Amino acid sequence: MKVISKPNTKPLDAAERNKRVAEPGFGKYYTDNMVIAQWSEATGWSDATLQAYGPLSLDPATMVFHYGQEIFEGMKAYTQPDGGISLFRPEANAKRFAKSAARITLPQMPVEFFVQTVEELVKQDKGWVPSKVGESLYLRPFMIATEVGLGVRPSNHATYVLIATPAAAYFNAAKAVTVWISTEYVRAALGGTGEAKCGGNYAASLLAQKQAAQEGCDQVAYIDAVERKWVEEMGGMNLYFIKGSGKAAKIMTPKLTGTLLPGITRDSILTLANDLGYKTEETMISIDDWRDGVKSGEITEIFACGTAAVVSAVGAAKSVHGTWQTGDGNPGVITNEIRAALLGIQHGSAPDKYGWNKRII
Ligand SMILES: *Cc1c(COP(=O)(O)O)cnc(C)c1O
């Protein structure tokens, strides 16, 4: 499989593009091109085509509209100090995309093919990659079931699409987010789709997110479905809890039990925090641990992490059990240190010891 290049013959003029890249927002503007590939059970994957960004035309009986067979990824391209561009751990996204596909009964896309589509789009639309630290070109690969029919069974046709949008820093790094701990709704249960990056998980989470907003919170945090006490993750991000301070601090994250989404940022931070001299632990953390820990001051900092926002401090947590504030409510020093260390690698200003960056330009 290869990527056939038929780029947009009428790209946005450079002045207008530069204006958009200078004030990118998130998901506000899309680049000139996209990549599309088709899969059918009979013939496997087609070559991919890089073509002008634009609407998809689909029969109303297309399966994805009815039974939600959809998966996606989120990854970023970062400008490097010499003006080049790198992707951050794209193979990790490719592997997770294949795992998500297996769970949702969509076809697995070969890792090299997936990465190639991303590389080709970023190379073609390189003028859309912002250059400030924290900014990036956000890439959104996704796959939908495109057999036409209403029978409930795995689709024998799938469409892969890759789009890109220039992205500002997601949250204001100087401000901690507040979270609503949902005790009413769960995100995922064992045996369900919590480990797959699929739209369905998000569809099921929007009501809790809406409730969070009504409670004056920025985000929602989920607890486990069975005992309703173990902290799992926050919306589309994984969580970290820090006990103690200075180099004696211990950095903990909820263990991957089969219901959490295995974040690539989460994984990178486990390595990075160790490297910075901190003890790390993947463990079970209950809402009681959260409440008692921040009350006694044993838990000094909490942050959430994911590709979109990178690292975001978590201040107050609110639930039916009350409101608990972390520290003084502002982003902590270790949170800031970890964010800076990760962004340093992603932007090429710190050594890339683990070979996480894939230089493409
Ligand atoms: C994508 C995602 C994350 C974060 O994963 P990264 O690979 O770090 O971006 C965490 N939780 C959920 C539910 C997600 O969909």
Side-chain angles (χ1 to χ4, degrees), residues 96 187 197 202 233 235-238 261 263-265 306-307:
R96 188 171 64 191
R187 194 192 82 89
K197 211 167 171 70
Y202 281 79
E233 56 183 307
M237 301 174 82
N238 294 109
L261 195 289
I264 295 161
T265 318
T307 297

Side-chain angles (χ1 to χ4, degrees), residues 72-75 88 92-93 96 138 140 187 194 196-198 201-202 222 233-239 259-268 305-310:
F72 67 96
E73 269 302 325
M75 53 204 292
F88 185 71
N93 293 96
R96 188 171 64 191
Y138 182 84
R140 169 52 60 85
R187 194 192 82 89
K197 211 167 171 70
C198 62
N201 288 342
Y202 281 79
Y222 295 97
E233 56 183 307
M234 184 185 97
M237 301 174 82
N238 294 109
L239 282 165
T259 53
L260 283 76
L261 195 289
I264 295 161
T265 318
R266 173 190 181 280
D267 181 74
S268 306
C305 66
T307 297
V310 189

Side-chain angles (χ1 to χ4, degrees), residues 18-217:
N18 291 340
K19 225 164 76 188
R20 293 183 182 186
V21 173
E23 294 286 336
F26 187 84
K28 203 156 93 184
Y29 305 116
Y30 294 87
T31 65
D32 295 309
N33 294 283
M34 63 181 183
V35 177
I36 295 194
Q38 306 288 345
W39 173 90
S40 82
E41 199 163 9
T43 57
W45 284 102
S46 69
D47 284 335
T49 308
L50 186 154
Q51 63 191 66
Y53 182 95
L56 304 173
S57 174
L58 293 168
D59 189 292
T62 300
M63 280 185 169
V64 66
F65 296 138
H66 306 280
Y67 311 120
Q69 238 187 312
E70 187 265 0
I71 58 167
F72 67 96
E73 269 302 325
M75 53 204 292
K76 283 177 169 178
Y78 291 92
T79 298
Q80 303 298 294
D82 63 359
I85 297 168
S86 285
L87 296 169
F88 185 71
R89 305 185 69 182
E91 284 84 9
N93 293 96
K95 286 177 190 157
R96 188 171 64 191
F97 196 58
K99 276 194 182 152
S100 300
R103 179 63 184 85
I104 306 300
T105 335
L106 282 165
Q108 295 185 43
M109 200 169 169
V111 167
E112 314 76 56
F113 187 37
F114 175 96
V115 174
Q116 198 197 349
T117 64
V118 176
E119 279 190 37
E120 295 301 324
L121 184 63
V122 175
K123 280 183 186 160
Q124 180 66 43
D125 286 338
K126 60 179 187 288
W128 287 89
V129 185
S131 55
K132 287 188 228 124
V133 172
E135 295 183 347
S136 58
L137 184 67
Y138 182 84
L139 295 143
R140 169 52 60 85
F142 64 99
M143 201 196 302
I144 52 177
T146 41
E147 182 182 345
V148 174
L150 298 181
V152 181
R153 55 177 174 74
S155 177
N156 64 21
H157 195 280
T159 302
Y160 165 81
V161 188
L162 168 66
I163 56 174
T165 175
Y170 198 83
F171 294 118
N172 178 358
K175 202 178 152 284
V177 298
T178 56
V179 296
W180 170 251
I181 302 174
S182 179
T183 46
E184 189 175 353
Y185 303 109
V186 295
R187 194 192 82 89
L190 213 57
T193 56
E195 283 190 328
K197 211 167 171 70
C198 62
N201 288 342
Y202 281 79
S205 77
L206 296 175
L207 188 53
Q209 178 63 48
K210 188 172 166 185
Q211 205 169 49
Q214 281 161 353
E215 296 290 342
C217 295

